[in-house]
């Protein structure tokens, strides 16, 4: 009786261990994915001398344009740095 119980237990273990086996071959595809960095446009360099303002209004307009261009470049640098941090 005891011997029969041991045989049943061993047979049960063998059957349960074979349940994970399969005759299908598992193929894993390896693919290289290139993630492009954010689009960066060249920064335009402006200076007060290039604007050649003759009035305070023109000087103010030049200052606004220079500030706008500097902010655009700063945004692009921040975007690139953020992208680099995500790649780590």
């Amino acid at each position: 009786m005891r011997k029969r119980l041991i045989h049943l237990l061993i047979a049960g273990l063998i059957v349960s261990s074979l349940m994970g086996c399969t005759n299908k071959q598992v193929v894993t595809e390896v693919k290289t994915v290139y993630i492009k960095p954010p689009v960066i446009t060249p920064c335009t360099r402006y200076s007060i001398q290039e604007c050649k303002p003759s009035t305070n209004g023109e000087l103010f307009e030049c200052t606004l344009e220079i500030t706008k261009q500097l902010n655009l470049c700063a945004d692009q640098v921040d975007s690139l740095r953020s992208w680099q941090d995500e790649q780590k």
Side-chain angles (χ1 to χ4, degrees):
M1 176 75 177
R2 190 171 189 192
K3 205 174 197 184
R4 187 178 170 122
L5 182 63
I6 291 174
H7 287 302
L8 283 175
L9 183 62
I10 291 173
L13 289 173
I14 290 173
V15 169
S16 66
S17 68
L18 293 176
M19 291 179 87
C21 296
T22 179
N23 60 355
K24 292 183 179 180
Q25 185 178 12
V26 177
V27 179
T28 305
E29 181 181 344
V30 178
K31 189 194 254 185
T32 302
V33 178
Y34 177 72
I35 301 173
K36 294 181 180 180
V39 176
I40 304 290
T41 57
C43 294
T44 307
R45 298 185 186 270
Y46 286 111
S47 69
I48 298 295
Q49 290 80 14
E50 290 174 348
C51 283
K52 298 180 184 172
S54 57
T55 65
N56 284 340
E58 290 175 358
L59 178 62
F60 181 72
E61 291 297 322
C62 288
T63 304
L64 287 178
E65 184 62 29
I66 291 170
T67 303
K68 179 177 134 187
Q69 294 300 324
L70 285 173
N71 287 335
L72 178 64
C73 279
D75 290 344
Q76 290 179 358
V77 170
D78 290 344
S79 175
L80 184 58
R81 292 181 74 198
S82 174
W83 175 80
Q84 287 174 336
D85 289 342
E86 291 173 5
Q87 302 308 305
K88 292 180 183 176

